Amino acid sequence: MSVQFEVRIDGMTCNRCVESVTNALGDLDGVHGVEVDLNPGAVSSARVTADAPVEPRVLRSTLAKAGFTIARDT
């Protein structure tokens, strides 16, 4: 059974950012789908489909390596 979850992301500005985030999250073990909604200049989001939830620290680290951060809830 798969799980889906959303990651809110700061720092995305263009389609190259979408590609970077899609590739970074898609390379995680157990992830088999990533859909990114770009919102330049604001918070973007990625819907991830995976075999199991991904640890928040793994998401933070993966996105940091790609040059992005998880958005803080306001």
Side-chain angles (χ1 to χ4, degrees):
M1 178 185 235
S2 294
V3 297
Q4 289 188 328
F5 57 92
E6 183 175 302
V7 181
R8 295 168 34 97
I9 305 166
D10 277 329
M12 296 179 62
T13 59
C14 64
N15 286 330
R16 180 83 169 124
C17 296
V18 171
E19 183 180 333
S20 294
V21 167
T22 300
N23 290 338
L25 294 176
D27 285 345
L28 292 173
D29 287 340
V31 171
H32 46 87
V34 178
E35 284 185 47
V36 177
D37 289 324
L38 176 63
N39 192 3
V43 176
S44 298
S45 64
R47 284 180 305 286
V48 180
T49 304
D51 295 332
V54 177
E55 293 289 327
R57 66 177 176 74
V58 172
L59 290 173
R60 276 192 301 277
S61 173
T62 298
L63 289 172
K65 288 176 186 173
F68 305 97
T69 59
I70 292 179
R72 294 180 183 251
D73 289 330
T74 55

